Amino acid sequence: MIESRIGRLRVTGVLGQGGMGDVYLAVDERLGRTVALKAIRAERRLDEAARARFLREARALSALDHPNICRIHEYIETPEGDFLVLERIEGITLEQAIQRGLSRARKLRIALDIAGALAAAHRKGIIHRDLKPRNVMIAADGTVKVLDFGIARTRPEDGEVAPAAENLEDPRAIEEADTWIFPVVGVTPGVPLSDPLPGGISVVAGTPHFMSPEQARGEAVTPATDLYSFGLLLQMLLSERAPYPAGLPGEALLDDVRAGRTLPLTGQPQDLTALVGRLKSVAPADRPTALETAALLGRIIDKPRRRVRHGAAALLVIVAIAFAARYVADVTAARRASERRRDQAEEMVSFLVGDLRKQLEAVGRLDALDGAATRALDYFASLRPEELSGTNLHHHALALAQLGEVRMNEGKLDEAVRLFTESIRFAEAAAARDAASPDRQLALSNSVFWLGDAFRRQGHHDAALREFRRYLDIARRLAAAHPGNAKYQAEVSYGHGNVGAAHEAAGDLGRALAEYRIAVQLDRRRLAGEPRNEQWQSDLAISLNRVGVTLQTMGELAAARPLFEEELQLRRALVAASPDNARRLGRLAVSLGYNGLLRQRLGDRAAALAAFEEELAIASRLAERDPANVTLRRNRATAEVRVAALLTDDLPRGLRLAEHAVAELREVVRADARPAWRRDLASARVREATLLLAAGHAVRARHAGEEALAIARGVAGEDPRNPQTVELLAEARDVVARTHPPPS
């Protein structure tokens, strides 16, 4: 087939092979685009069942136009064969992505995209029937694509009976080894599932590890069938483990599948565990719809990060801008419809505004949100609060808080403060309608937190402290009303951490330390009740780090040391429980960095260098996994600088590391010129200048030092009170002075 022509297509390579046929790389010479060409095998072309499946895939894809579903360009019938011309997707499967490691945020965004694709398919009456990680691709630009509708079925109209099993004479029509065809009555003992079955026998097609009980029993499939498969996929995505015990023989596996017996999801937040549990309900009627699942995931994703964290990174996904803007307009129209439709529409506003924000962040085009955001705000302003239900007010509060986050990320802090203030007004009204509702109180605390964080970023420390204290008060009330709820106890700990952060930003390290120590006590108590709860372990590690950093800043190095060591022990245990978890590896690297810096200040050069080398190894591994991620590249570069600074007995390697770090950080700053990252670049240049001086390259050292000083001065002009910037300025001045020859 290579270099052959199918109409205007020229075949250039092979992408894959399967039981039904081969997939080729081809070029559409008229349109100048690369496509994937799926060809039915010649020996199967006369098989009506195989051709029917091939055509069914074409029809299913042609009915769908969704950014998260592989698009079909054309269906071609020629004397040489039948061909599907498909969108060419460059990337890796979700199965491979899980193996390489994904952050929790990225996992949830991927899950949201898959749920959106299922909702689009179900809206068209199409049931996938073989959803699994191998049938989901992550494109090079991060876009999620659901593939292989080859065994999809069209949902019947009301009154019709949905097909379950199908008549396939040859199981080899199924393309992948993990997609089985087996008799409805069960697996025939001693007969491999890939062997031909007698003609006319009714068989079930699908992948047992991701199949619903009703599908495995040969019963009618419905959209709920896909949702069960999605629940298993979501469990594997979150836990990075298969939903069934390893090594189960075929008959035992099918028995478990038919009975709905799966391994439980553990170590995840309650809301995610509950969602997966609903999706895995044995009764199809008990499962949420794809649209409801997407909305639930959207709310989980948009839960506020109530801790003030330095250097937080978000891995986000792409959705349709035009669709979201159009939907906001539809919501305005829905206001004139029934109250029930308005409730549904306004809930979707909250979901879509958050989703739109994230996809625009991913492509660096938050400015494009202005039109949709303004229309949403105009819609809110047109309503009379006294006519709104508590649910409406609640959703408005969430949506306004999301818009405030957008403005804050754009650097428009004054506008963000206004939006968060409006959000609080709606949230207070919603809470007044149902003061006993913890969800309403949490929404109010969400808005209060973000207002405090906006004030903190503006440098209004007293205002930030006021809002963080209010947030802490709400958390305390929730914890008192629900003493058995560990999540609300955690909110109290987070509140103390936020209050401490406000004190620290204002320079009051004593009060900050007191609040951080309370958070540590609360985290220890919560962890003692659930010693295997990995979230509580991570919370304690964060609080220990805050206390350690504060003590280190105050010069109490000996007191900080056991805290950093305990934090490091917790981080190692979390990584041991999930060795490929990128988020955990990243936090372990950060912990190693803090430990190394402390050891360096204590004069233990060997221990410091060992910690920095391990940090660099992890940071390099993570950066190589995702080379487009500037945060990971920045982390690797700063680790290189720390190692280089201690390589006084190996100047060639030290200089290589420093020079590579400088080059990397230049690229990072081009992508994102935030002050902290410019400070990183200046620090790298200082370390490079110091090494150059030691190697006898005074002129090059002077240029490096002068650039470092210029960058540091620029950062100091934006944040003159930052102690790291003040220290960097002093170091840059010193290295510049040392590069100038003394007067004769």
Side-chain angles (χ1 to χ4, degrees), residues 607-641:
L609 183 57
F612 291 151
E613 292 276 20
E614 187 179 357
E615 176 197 12
L616 176 56
I618 296 172
S620 298
R621 175 182 168 190
L622 293 175
E624 287 164 5
R625 282 185 183 180
D626 188 3
N629 188 311
V630 291
T631 299
L632 297 179
R633 291 167 58 192
R634 174 258 181 188
N635 293 345
R636 176 174 60 187
T638 54
E640 288 175 329
V641 171

Side-chain angles (χ1 to χ4, degrees), residues 568-626:
L568 182 58
Q569 184 179 5
L570 285 167
R571 291 295 177 205
R572 289 195 189 281
L574 287 167
V575 167
S578 185
D580 290 325
N581 186 302
R583 185 180 183 86
R584 293 184 182 186
L585 285 167
R587 287 180 170 175
L588 173 59
V590 170
S591 181
L592 286 162
Y594 277 114
N595 271 269
L597 289 170
L598 179 65
R599 296 300 183 113
Q600 187 177 6
R601 292 188 65 180
L602 288 169
D604 191 346
R605 177 185 173 279
L609 183 57
F612 291 151
E613 292 276 20
E614 187 179 357
E615 176 197 12
L616 176 56
I618 296 172
S620 298
R621 175 182 168 190
L622 293 175
E624 287 164 5
R625 282 185 183 180
D626 188 3

Side-chain angles (χ1 to χ4, degrees), residues 104 108 111 234 238 265 268-279 296-297 300 303:
R104 174 176 296 240
L108 292 178
L234 181 57
L238 293 169
L265 176 63
Q268 300 296 324
Q270 183 179 0
D271 45 11
L272 279 172
T273 303
L275 174 57
V276 171
R278 287 185 63 196
L279 289 164
L296 289 169
L297 283 169
I300 290 170
K303 281 197 313 184

Side-chain angles (χ1 to χ4, degrees), residues 678 682 703-717 729 732 736:
R678 283 154 48 212
H703 290 319
E706 288 172 349
E707 182 187 1
L709 182 58
I711 297 171
R713 282 171 173 162
V715 175
L729 271 170
V736 169

Side-chain angles (χ1 to χ4, degrees), residues 247-265:
L248 277 181
E251 292 181 61
L253 174 60
L254 285 174
D255 285 343
D256 281 358
V257 173
R258 289 168 179 143
R261 291 190 296 266
T262 66
L263 295 174
L265 176 63

Side-chain angles (χ1 to χ4, degrees), residues 238-405:
L238 293 169
S239 68
E240 301 179 2
R241 299 181 181 92
Y244 292 95
L248 277 181
E251 292 181 61
L253 174 60
L254 285 174
D255 285 343
D256 281 358
V257 173
R258 289 168 179 143
R261 291 190 296 266
T262 66
L263 295 174
L265 176 63
T266 59
Q268 300 296 324
Q270 183 179 0
D271 45 11
L272 279 172
T273 303
L275 174 57
V276 171
R278 287 185 63 196
L279 289 164
K280 294 196 302 178
S281 298
V282 176
D286 292 339
R287 301 169 201 156
T289 65
L291 186 60
E292 183 183 357
T293 300
L296 289 169
L297 283 169
R299 287 200 291 273
I300 290 170
I301 290 169
D302 288 336
K303 281 197 313 184
R305 295 177 179 232
R306 295 182 176 90
R307 289 180 176 274
V308 180
R309 297 179 182 175
H310 302 294
L315 297 177
L316 307 168
V317 298
I318 295 188
V319 294
I321 298 173
F323 172 76
R326 186 181 71 230
Y327 201 95
V328 171
D330 291 344
V331 169
T332 306
R335 178 175 175 268
R336 295 187 292 269
S338 67
E339 183 68 23
R340 176 176 173 275
R341 284 186 61 201
R342 186 168 69 182
D343 287 347
Q344 294 172 340
E346 291 181 346
E347 181 173 358
M348 193 57 71
V349 165
S350 300
F351 164 64
L352 282 177
V353 166
D355 198 54
L356 180 60
R357 177 197 73 224
K358 289 172 173 55
Q359 70 90 12
L360 287 171
E361 280 182 333
V363 296
R365 286 296 311 280
L366 282 173
D367 59 300
L369 180 69
D370 290 340
T374 301
R375 295 172 74 178
L377 288 171
D378 289 344
Y379 168 61
F380 294 152
S382 71
L383 302 174
R384 300 178 62 184
E386 63 271 17
E387 295 178 353
L388 298 177
S389 68
T391 300
N392 295 150
L393 291 166
H394 175 66
H395 293 156
H396 289 171
L398 294 175
L400 285 163
Q402 290 165 358
L403 290 171
E405 288 181 66

Side-chain angles (χ1 to χ4, degrees), residues 493-547:
S493 172
Y494 302 159
H496 282 289
N498 291 332
V499 170
H503 283 308
E504 184 180 359
D508 192 342
L509 296 183
R511 289 186 178 179
L513 184 60
E515 295 292 339
Y516 291 155
R517 281 177 164 158
I518 293 173
V520 168
Q521 292 172 358
L522 294 173
D523 291 342
R524 288 195 191 283
R525 186 184 309 162
R526 198 164 64 256
L527 184 58
E530 295 182 66
R532 295 187 178 181
N533 188 306
E534 295 178 349
Q535 181 60 54
W536 302 159
Q537 293 171 18
S538 179
D539 287 347
L540 176 58
I542 291 171
S543 296
L544 289 168
N545 177 271
R546 282 175 157 173
V547 175

